[in-house]
Amino acid sequence: MLNYPALSSSVFIQRPAWVTESGSKPGAYEPMVDRDSEPCRQRGAQRGEDVSGDAPRRKPFNARGSFVTRCEACRLPSLNCLCPYKVATTSETRVWLLTHPYEHYKPTNTGRLIGDILDTTEVFTWYRTAPDPTLLARLADPRFAPFVVFPDDQPDYAARVVSPDAVRAAKREGRIPVLILLDGTWRQARRIFRKSAYLERLPVLPLHSERATRYRLRKPASSAHLCTAEVAAELLHQTGDGKAAATLDDYFDAFNDSYAASRRHGKLEAPT
C-alpha cells in the first residue's frame, strides 16, 4: 500500500517515499532452484501448494496474523468485521488502482477501502511485460480523462504536471476524470511509473496538502506520508467530490479502529 507524502507548498521534501503501510519489503525471495524438479514438487505438495504447473507458484502466506480467522469480504479479523460500517456513495471522479501483485495479499492495504464505498473503482494488477488489456482499453476510451497520481519532483516529466483544476475542467467538458493510484512500495510505484509506456502520455497529478496521516497500524517515517485511502480522499476533496471524500474518510477511520482493536484482541463495540 502506498504511503503518499503530501507535499506542502511551503516545505520542500527532497524525496517522497511511497512505501507500504506495513513499512516492510514485500517478502524474501525463494532460492533460485529448479521448481519443476521432483524433489521441489514433493516439497511443494507437502506445503499444500498447487504443483500442477497451471497456477503461478508463490510462497505460502506465513506472516504474523496468517492464522487469524478473517471475514472473507473485508479481510479484517472476524472479531471486528468492518462490513457493518460500509456505506456506498458516488463521485464524479473515478479511481483506478494499478496494483503491484504483492499488495493484494496485505490485509493492511487501504486501497481496497476505496472500492468498498465507490463501486466504480477498478483494480488492475501491474506486470511490466504484460499490461492489462482492460486497462489499455479504458485508457483509449475518450469518455475518460485519466490522471496518474505521482509526485512532481523530477524535471523530465515537469511538462505533464497538472493541478486539481485540470480534473474540474474535465468534468466541465463532460468527460469522466480518473485518478490512477500506483499501489505498492515507493520502489515498486516508481518502477510502475517509469516502466509503463502506456502511462507516459498521461498528465501527472501530484498531491499538495497540509494533511497529516491518521493511519495508526504502522508508524510512518513522517506524518506527511499518507496511505492510499487518504490520498484518494484528499484528492476527491480537492477536485469537488466532497461527499465521497468524507465518506471514505469515515470508513477509513472505522478501518483504523477495528484493526487496532483486533490487534489488542479486543471486541470493538463501535468505531469512534
Side-chain angles (χ1 to χ4, degrees):
M1 175 70 59
L2 295 179
N3 278 5
Y4 187 97
L7 302 183
S8 166
S9 59
S10 60
V11 179
F12 178 75
I13 298 178
Q14 180 67 24
R15 164 54 62 188
W18 283 11
V19 297
T20 57
E21 288 157 346
S22 64
S24 62
K25 294 182 180 179
Y29 290 98
E30 295 183 72
M32 297 298 292
V33 297
D34 182 3
R35 296 176 182 272
D36 292 319
S37 66
E38 188 59 29
C40 187
R41 283 178 174 272
Q42 291 176 357
R43 289 193 296 271
Q46 292 171 357
R47 295 193 298 265
E49 296 178 2
D50 183 347
V51 295
S52 64
D54 297 327
R57 299 190 182 97
R58 67 180 184 88
K59 295 183 70 175
F61 178 61
N62 291 323
R64 183 179 63 181
S66 61
F67 299 106
V68 173
T69 301
R70 296 181 180 274
C71 170
E72 291 294 330
C74 70
R75 302 183 197 174
L76 262 65
S78 298
L79 180 65
N80 290 296
C81 175
L82 188 62
C83 296
Y85 309 106
K86 186 185 301 184
V87 179
T89 188
T90 59
S91 68
E92 292 182 84
T93 301
R94 297 190 184 184
V95 177
W96 295 345
L97 293 166
L98 187 51
T99 304
H100 191 276
Y102 283 120
E103 204 64 31
H104 293 301
Y105 302 105
K106 297 178 181 177
T108 52
N109 179 288
T110 66
R112 58 192 170 82
L113 302 180
I114 306 167
D116 283 349
I117 69 161
L118 293 172
D119 62 7
T120 56
T121 301
E122 296 189 68
V123 181
F124 305 97
T125 302
W126 182 82
Y127 296 103
R128 185 180 64 83
T129 59
D132 189 303
T134 302
L135 173 60
L136 298 181
R138 295 281 192 274
L139 293 175
D141 191 328
R143 294 177 302 159
F144 299 115
F147 301 85
V148 58
V149 179
F150 203 73
D152 57 349
D153 66 334
Q154 296 298 312
D156 60 310
Y157 56 86
R160 297 163 53 196
V161 174
V162 298
S163 73
D165 288 338
V167 178
R168 290 188 285 268
K171 294 179 183 180
R172 291 193 296 270
E173 294 168 1
R175 302 179 70 195
I176 303 172
V178 179
L179 305 177
I180 300 179
L181 301 181
L182 310 183
D183 203 4
T185 66
W186 161 244
R187 180 176 294 182
Q188 291 163 354
R190 181 174 58 188
R191 182 174 173 81
I192 293 172
F193 183 78
R194 293 294 188 180
K195 298 293 184 179
S196 304
Y198 49 89
L199 299 179
E200 292 177 355
R201 68 178 185 276
L202 301 181
V204 175
L205 179 64
L207 173 62
H208 295 269
S209 174
E210 299 291 342
R211 173 173 175 155
T213 185
R214 300 199 306 275
Y215 185 73
R216 301 195 305 271
L217 302 184
R218 288 289 187 271
K219 183 178 180 180
S222 167
S223 62
H225 292 183
L226 307 182
C227 68
T228 302
E230 291 177 304
V231 172
E234 185 66 14
L235 284 175
L236 287 171
H237 174 74
Q238 292 183 9
T239 55
D241 282 297
K243 179 182 177 181
T247 302
L248 179 55
D249 263 335
D250 288 345
Y251 189 52
F252 170 70
D253 286 340
F255 169 82
N256 253 330
D257 291 345
S258 298
Y259 211 115
S262 296
R263 285 185 168 178
R264 299 190 300 268
H265 306 287
K267 172 65 177 175
L268 188 69
E269 295 302 324
T272 56

